[in-house]
Amino acid sequence: MARKTDIPSSYYGEPRKFDPTFRGPVHNRSCTDVVCCVIFVLVILGYIALGTVAWIHGDPRKVVYPTDSHGQFCGQQGTPNANKAILFYFNILQCANPAVLINLQCPTTQLCVSKCPDRFATYMDMQYQYRSNKSHWDYYKQFCKPGFDNPRKPPAQVLRDEDCPSMIVPSRPFLQRCFPDFITRNGTLTVANRTDFKDGVGKMRSVVDLRDAANGITSLLDAKEVGMKIFEDYASSWYWILIGLVITMVVSLLFILLLRFTAGVILWLIIFGVITAVGYGIWHCYWEFSTLRGKPDADVTISDIGFQTDFRVYLQLSQTWLVFMISLSVIEAIIVIILIFLRSRVRVAIALLKEGSRAIGYIMSTLFYPIITFFLLAICIAYWAVTAVFLASSGEAVYKVMSTQPKCMYANLTCDPETFSQTNVTKVCPGSQCTFAFYGGESLYHRYIFVLQLCNLLVFLWLVNFTIALGQCTLAGAFASYYWALKKPNDIPACPLFSSFSRAIRYHTGSLAFGSLILTVVQMFRIVLEYLDHKLKGAQNSFSRFLICCLKCCFWCLEHFIKFINRNAYIMIAIYGKNFCTSAKDAFFLLMRNVVRVAVLDKVTDFLLFLGKLLISGSVGVLAFFFFTRKIPVIQEEVPSLNYYWVPLLTVIFGSYLIAHGFFNVYAMCVDTLFLCFLVDLETNNGSAARPYHMSSTLRNILNKKNKKNSKRKGKR
């Protein structure tokens, strides 16, 4: 009598039945998930309509050009500000934060100018000097409001009406805005070699006040100089960077093609290397334990000394090394036991890795499919970014009351700059300004800008996931054609990659869109949780933060699980041409019936691919380091002169990793496809002449499987 804990053979579905007409990916198939396909097409048309509406209402110049206090663009052609591309702040001391400056929320008049001031001056000093030399006014008035030309107007009235700034300080443009020209000399902060200046209202101020008002601007200015040097380095080294990336492509290709010969050797060397390293660790711990055991101070237990910030104290105790030795012994025993019981499955995993390398060797075009995926993703990202910019720049200029007084009752209320001087706001809140704040509106379209941005993000994620799904299904169909070819390479159909791509687009757009939509919904939930977590960072409610953290963890696991299910579902779609739900169920049950093989293959593949990426990017990075640091004598004279050698070095390393990642993603998809085909092969075939195994002879030998030869052929022999 079976135990209650026994799982029946049909718990994860019945094994797949033999189909005598099956010869690889099904050609006579019909469209799947048509409803989702129609919805997907309608969403794309709606996305195009959204982009069109955003293009009509939006104006990216609002993002590119700085805007003065009247909402006019600085540097816009065809306007009075065409030759005035820089924004000038009347009183930068009222701007307490650089983010305030960049977001145009500084409570002072903002004016478009052609150049920044290059000297210290005040309006009162200018009036005094104007009597003897009118050139002082000619220079100063370019920082006054357009049309103001009365240098004899009393300073009090000028400052009250904001006709001219009370002072100007030497500045230089950054982000098309005038910021004080800070220079540190011998540890002292200066502006034009001065440490103090007149503020225009009868007081002497320190340049430290300017630094406090524009906190962080000095580092930004330095960053601009660094950016220029980085650009120069790229301009002089781009040729060698491309050479490094081409070397990476060649090495990645050779690495994948040679895995058919080296996969087993590499993996077993690593396994025995780990066993040897852990064994040495056990011996070293025993040696330390036996050395310290006789010493009186070393017999103290860990609990007796308690927690110590200096961890070297624990290394002086014999008990510490005993714990290390026991832990390493347990790890060693687990590794050995796993190898003893799972050695055949490890051999199967290695054989599949070799078979994957052989498959790519026969279908070399698959290695270049990531270029198509990259191109489609670039279109999606560009369209999303442009639409987001146009949506963000939609609307008319909105003005708000900006006050220097923290308790002003009118602060942040909307206002009209034309009638602002006639209101009592300036009386209740002296010094307040009606300043341009942002672009918006009160229409139905403008009220739902945020919702449209969310729709833009949702469709963008859906398109990105669909593009990745299309690539996975296309590659799966091509590699499945290789596996189910009984005589390789003669039986491999012509142009398997193109045929697979055509089938995926023609018949399974709906299924791919369905799987992509499920993943997109989960990703949107994760984005919302990240937003809530960001908002709750300053909150004192520990329970809410704990709940958000748990939800983030759960949705992270759910996203990775769905990616795993989708990936295998797309493989089954590419082979059998069924809808998404049926394919996902069949793939899941097939994997669960072989769960140990799945775990072993997944980890072995992940480890080898990670090792390959690390090896390739690291090797090319080391070569680039020796080249750019002029440590290769043969080609020292060819090395360009650089400001920072790490700029091309990091570019080569990062680019090498991305290229290797693209190549190895194709290889991983190949191995996963061959694995599912291998499992189906085991369930549907028995090695007879009518039902021969399609797996390689290496896999058959590992599993003690044989293909029986036809009796007629035997008679002929």
Side-chain angles (χ1 to χ4, degrees):
M1 186 174 179
R3 294 179 299 173
K4 292 183 179 180
T5 54
D6 289 342
I7 298 176
S9 58
S10 60
Y11 188 82
Y12 292 115
E14 295 291 343
R16 185 170 289 275
K17 304 298 183 182
F18 172 71
D19 181 4
T21 63
F22 181 73
R23 296 290 184 271
V26 177
H27 292 281
N28 296 325
R29 55 180 74 193
S30 59
C31 297
T32 56
D33 296 305
V34 177
V35 175
C36 195
C37 178
V38 173
I39 295 174
F40 184 62
V41 172
L42 291 177
V43 167
I44 292 178
L45 294 177
Y47 197 34
I48 295 173
L50 173 61
T52 304
V53 172
W55 181 78
I56 293 173
H57 290 275
D59 189 349
R61 294 173 302 178
K62 299 171 184 176
V63 179
V64 176
Y65 298 106
T67 314
D68 64 13
S69 296
H70 298 286
Q72 298 175 345
F73 304 127
C74 296
Q76 181 184 355
Q77 297 298 320
T79 67
N81 292 331
N83 298 322
K84 300 177 180 179
I86 307 172
L87 192 66
F88 171 73
Y89 297 90
F90 267 33
N91 189 355
I92 199 171
L93 292 173
Q94 295 182 8
C95 306
N97 192 308
V100 171
L101 294 178
I102 296 172
N103 291 325
L104 305 179
Q105 296 292 327
C106 184
T108 187
T109 300
Q110 299 152 28
L111 185 72
C112 296
V113 296
S114 58
K115 63 179 181 179
C116 295
D118 59 6
R119 67 193 72 170
F120 282 107
T122 66
Y123 184 80
M124 289 189 291
D125 289 344
M126 181 280 303
Q127 269 197 330
Y128 179 77
Q129 296 167 350
Y130 171 75
R131 301 171 185 173
S132 58
N133 190 347
K134 294 184 179 181
S135 63
H136 292 285
W137 167 245
D138 293 334
Y139 179 80
Y140 201 92
K141 73 176 181 180
Q142 61 184 324
F143 305 107
C144 298
K145 287 182 177 179
F148 180 74
D149 194 12
N150 185 10
R152 292 187 173 86
K153 186 176 180 178
Q157 297 180 17
V158 170
L159 301 182
R160 181 197 63 192
D161 298 336
E162 292 280 344
D163 293 323
C164 290
S166 62
M167 64 170 182
I168 56 175
V169 299
S171 307
R172 54 175 166 170
F174 180 71
L175 298 176
Q176 290 185 267
R177 291 159 175 84
C178 291
F179 291 129
D181 189 7
F182 295 113
I183 298 176
T184 302
R185 297 184 182 278
N186 299 323
T188 303
L189 186 68
T190 64
V191 174
N193 296 324
R194 291 176 56 175
T195 58
D196 55 10
F197 63 96
K198 296 178 180 179
D199 65 357
V201 292
K203 295 181 180 179
M204 291 296 295
R205 304 287 290 267
S206 171
V207 295
V208 176
D209 296 332
L210 288 174
R211 182 196 62 189
D212 295 338
N215 186 27
I217 298 303
T218 52
S219 60
L220 291 175
L221 292 171
D222 292 338
K224 182 183 178 183
E225 294 181 0
V226 172
M228 291 299 298
K229 292 181 179 179
I230 290 175
F231 179 80
E232 293 173 359
D233 289 343
Y234 276 126
S236 59
S237 63
W238 66 270
Y239 177 77
W240 297 104
I241 292 175
L242 286 181
I243 291 177
L245 298 181
V246 170
I247 292 174
T248 301
M249 293 179 62
V250 174
V251 173
S252 299
L253 177 61
L254 291 176
F255 187 89
I256 291 175
L257 296 179
L258 291 176
L259 275 178
R260 73 176 74 175
F261 309 109
T262 60
V265 176
I266 293 174
L267 186 61
W268 286 116
L269 281 176
I270 292 171
I271 290 173
F272 287 115
V274 171
I275 293 175
T276 304
V278 175
Y280 171 77
I282 294 172
W283 174 83
H284 182 76
C285 292
Y286 175 76
W287 182 79
E288 291 284 357
F289 171 73
S290 59
T291 303
L292 295 172
R293 187 169 49 178
K295 297 182 180 180
D297 296 338
D299 291 335
V300 181
T301 62
I302 297 175
S303 59
D304 290 337
I305 65 172
F307 177 75
Q308 300 290 329
T309 55
D310 188 0
F311 288 96
R312 289 176 296 180
V313 174
Y314 297 108
L315 299 180
Q316 307 301 320
L317 305 179
S318 60
Q319 189 184 59
T320 302
W321 294 102
L322 178 63
V323 172
F324 286 163
M325 182 176 65
I326 294 174
S327 302
L328 290 176
S329 300
V330 171
I331 294 173
E332 185 87 335
I334 292 174
I335 294 174
V336 172
I337 291 172
I338 289 175
L339 286 177
I340 291 174
F341 288 97
L342 299 180
R343 63 186 185 280
S344 62
R345 287 179 170 81
V346 173
R347 292 174 63 198
V348 170
I350 294 174
L352 283 171
L353 290 170
K354 292 180 178 179
E355 193 67 17
S357 175
R358 190 175 292 110
I360 291 177
Y362 286 127
I363 314 176
M364 291 285 290
S365 58
T366 55
L367 287 174
F368 301 97
Y369 184 83
I371 297 176
I372 299 176
T373 301
F374 174 79
F375 177 72
L376 294 176
L377 289 177
I379 294 176
C380 294
I381 294 172
Y383 188 86
W384 166 78
V386 170
T387 303
V389 169
F390 273 90
L391 283 173
S393 59
S394 298
E396 302 297 329
V398 174
Y399 299 86
K400 288 193 174 184
V401 177
M402 298 295 168
S403 176
T404 57
Q405 298 180 3
K407 296 183 180 181
C408 177
M409 60 184 296
Y410 296 102
N412 292 323
L413 295 180
T414 56
C415 58
D416 184 355
E418 300 295 333
T419 60
F420 182 73
S421 59
Q422 302 173 8
T423 64
N424 64 340
V425 177
T426 54
K427 298 178 181 177
V428 178
C429 304
S432 59
Q433 295 285 324
C434 184
T435 306
F436 167 78
F438 56 87
Y439 287 93
E442 299 299 328
S443 66
L444 182 66
Y445 169 77
H446 295 111
R447 283 201 298 267
Y448 286 95
I449 287 291
F450 179 72
V451 176
L452 295 177
Q453 288 283 22
L454 288 180
C455 293
N456 183 30
L457 177 61
L458 176 66
V459 181
F460 164 70
L461 292 176
W462 195 359
L463 289 174
V464 167
N465 290 324
F466 176 83
T467 302
I468 296 173
L470 177 62
Q472 292 175 344
C473 190
T474 300
L475 292 173
F479 292 127
S481 300
Y482 163 84
Y483 185 91
W484 295 110
L486 190 59
K487 296 180 181 179
K488 303 175 179 65
N490 297 329
D491 291 345
I492 300 176
C495 304
L497 185 67
F498 178 76
S499 300
S500 179
F501 180 81
S502 301
R503 289 194 299 267
I505 288 291
R506 181 179 178 183
Y507 298 108
H508 306 302
T509 298
S511 297
L512 300 180
F514 188 22
S516 304
L517 178 61
I518 296 173
L519 181 59
T520 299
V521 171
V522 175
Q523 290 173 339
M524 283 298 293
F525 273 108
R526 288 196 63 198
I527 292 173
V528 171
L529 289 174
E530 289 291 344
Y531 174 77
L532 293 176
D533 183 49
H534 177 72
K535 288 295 183 182
L536 291 174
K537 277 186 177 179
Q540 301 298 323
N541 191 337
S542 57
F543 174 75
S544 61
R545 286 187 279 114
F546 171 76
L547 181 62
I548 291 293
C549 183
C550 291
L551 289 174
K552 286 171 59 179
C553 180
C554 292
F555 274 93
W556 181 88
C557 296
L558 179 61
E559 180 184 355
H560 283 73
F561 175 73
I562 290 177
K563 284 182 177 179
F564 175 77
I565 293 297
N566 284 5
R567 184 182 181 93
N568 290 281
Y570 299 147
I571 295 174
M572 299 300 281
I573 290 172
I575 298 173
Y576 294 102
K578 296 182 179 180
N579 62 48
F580 175 80
C581 292
T582 302
S583 300
K585 182 194 70 174
D586 292 344
F588 179 73
F589 284 170
L590 179 63
L591 294 173
M592 291 305 297
R593 291 195 295 268
N594 301 270
V595 65
V596 178
R597 284 183 175 138
V598 172
V600 173
L601 178 73
D602 188 55
K603 295 308 171 188
V604 169
T605 305
D606 287 346
F607 181 73
L608 265 184
L609 296 186
F610 172 76
L611 184 68
K613 294 175 190 176
L614 199 64
L615 180 65
I616 292 172
S617 58
S619 301
V620 176
V622 169
L623 179 63
F625 172 78
F626 283 115
F627 174 78
F628 288 115
T629 54
R630 301 176 183 271
K631 294 185 178 180
I632 303 179
V634 180
I635 52 176
Q636 275 187 348
E637 297 180 356
E638 302 293 333
V639 180
S641 179
L642 301 171
N643 297 298
Y644 310 109
Y645 74 86
W646 51 263
V647 171
L649 176 62
L650 291 180
T651 304
V652 169
I653 293 175
F654 183 69
S656 299
Y657 184 84
L658 289 181
I659 291 174
H661 181 73
F663 274 91
F664 282 40
N665 270 353
V666 174
Y667 182 68
M669 196 66 204
C670 176
V671 174
D672 288 345
T673 303
L674 297 182
F675 180 57
L676 255 67
C677 293
F678 164 73
L679 297 180
V680 172
D681 195 9
L682 283 177
E683 290 188 352
T684 57
N685 298 313
N686 57 12
S688 64
R691 297 165 59 182
Y693 290 116
H694 289 72
M695 66 186 75
S696 65
S697 57
T698 305
L699 284 169
R700 291 200 301 268
N701 293 334
I702 294 173
L703 299 173
N704 293 321
K705 305 284 186 181
K706 292 183 179 180
N707 277 339
K708 297 178 182 179
K709 297 182 180 180
N710 195 315
S711 58
K712 294 181 179 179
R713 292 181 180 177
K714 288 183 179 180
K716 290 180 180 180
R717 290 181 180 178

